[in-house]
Amino acid sequence: NAGVMQNPRHLVRRRGQEARLRCSPMKGHSHVYWYRQLPEEGLKFMVYLQKENIIDESGMPKERFSAEFPKEGPSILRIQQVVRGDSAAYFCASSQQGMNTEAFFGQGTRLTVV
Amino acid sequence: AQKITQTQPGMFVQEKEAVTLDCTYDTSDPSYGLFWYKQPSSGEMIFLIYQGSYDQQNATEGRYSLNFQKARKSANLVISASQLGDSAMYFCAMRGHNFGNEKLTFGTGTRLTIIP
């Protein structure tokens, strides 16, 4: 049973380019969460999705950031026109339906904007 | 709104000693879960232990135990017989159990260094 899979592990983009981060949840998990971690800081919530639905996007910047979790395929976090301040580790977590369950994290994607 | 407070930015502990990492929380949810994660220098987030707010007993997982004191809103992590491999960042987190409030809220973390 594979864990949460994120790819790529490392991503380098020039300012102004687009970054696409992918997350495949654990088998049987229908809830996906995206978090951002700046250097030497804790994880900040960005968005919570279920299949084809955004449940909570209160942590998403209003511009340039979007997320989806289609019926088929991985969840995608998309950052348009990246800036240096977007450089961070982006983590995806997944959990089963139901609240009394653990959330397991992927290994993260480290985005560097040059 | 949920809030997690970790007041120890860094700790140094002698190998084989027990260590307690502090975590206090605040929430208005009647039902919630508390989590601890370990983040080694390699960067991944490793789930350690979970405590439900209505669980009668404190959670234990091997050398990890969670000292849950609901009235004090604290959920301290205890690591027994520390090992060099325990050196890492440790994050306390919580999640509400009401629909729409299921996101994990993290503390700022504690950097634990085990001294040989």
Side-chain angles (χ1 to χ4, degrees):
Chain A
N1 186 14
V4 180
M5 303 300 292
Q6 287 188 251
N7 68 82
R9 293 288 308 280
H10 301 274
L11 182 62
V12 179
R13 285 287 178 265
R14 295 185 184 278
R15 281 178 293 173
Q17 290 184 320
E18 178 179 288
R20 282 187 177 236
L21 288 62
R22 295 174 184 79
C23 169
S24 296
M26 287 180 69
K27 187 177 180 181
H29 286 191
S30 57
H31 298 225
V32 166
Y33 312 79
W34 284 95
Y35 290 82
R36 176 164 64 177
Q37 185 180 32
L38 296 171
E40 302 301 316
E41 293 189 11
L43 278 72
K44 301 295 185 186
F45 169 77
M46 299 182 74
V47 63
Y48 162 40
L49 310 104
Q50 295 179 17
K51 286 284 187 180
E52 301 184 280
N53 285 306
I54 296 175
I55 305 301
D56 182 351
E57 56 182 346
S58 59
M60 286 281 270
K62 298 296 182 213
E63 297 177 347
R64 302 188 297 108
F65 284 72
S66 62
E68 63 177 9
F69 188 16
K71 187 176 181 181
E72 301 291 338
S75 175
I76 305 289
L77 179 66
R78 182 181 176 206
I79 311 172
Q80 295 178 291
Q81 300 175 323
V82 295
V83 301
R84 287 229 173 109
D86 296 333
S87 295
Y90 291 83
F91 286 94
C92 168
S94 74
S95 67
Q96 292 178 331
Q97 191 167 7
M99 300 301 106
N100 293 329
T101 56
E102 301 92 334
F104 293 93
F105 281 80
Q107 292 188 299
T109 293
R110 275 142 189 87
L111 172 66
T112 302
V113 179
V114 297
Chain B
Q2 300 170 339
K3 185 177 180 181
I4 293 283
T5 302
Q6 293 181 257
T7 58
Q8 305 154 309
M11 288 186 70
F12 291 85
V13 173
Q14 204 75 39
E15 188 181 8
K16 298 181 185 177
E17 289 185 350
V19 56
T20 298
L21 304 180
D22 294 341
C23 173
T24 58
Y25 62 90
D26 193 20
T27 182
S28 56
D29 284 343
S31 178
Y32 49 88
L34 295 154
F35 303 76
W36 277 92
Y37 288 87
K38 173 183 179 181
Q39 188 177 42
S41 57
S42 52
E44 68 267 33
M45 292 290 289
I46 302 169
F47 166 76
L48 295 179
I49 197 166
Y50 166 82
Q51 177 84 44
S53 59
Y54 285 103
D55 291 343
Q56 295 297 318
Q57 293 187 322
N58 287 345
T60 60
E61 290 285 348
R63 293 186 300 113
Y64 304 108
S65 61
L66 201 152
N67 184 4
F68 180 46
Q69 298 188 38
K70 195 171 183 178
R72 294 185 176 184
K73 293 190 175 180
S74 73
N76 298 341
L77 177 70
V78 179
I79 307 174
S80 63
S82 57
Q83 303 171 356
L84 295 178
D86 293 333
S87 294
M89 282 290 289
Y90 288 80
F91 292 99
C92 180
M94 75 177 301
R95 182 168 71 175
H97 288 171
N98 294 325
F99 181 77
N101 197 27
E102 302 98 330
K103 63 179 179 286
L104 278 168
T105 300
F106 284 83
T108 52
T110 296
R111 184 175 298 279
L112 176 64
T113 304
I114 305 300
I115 306 167

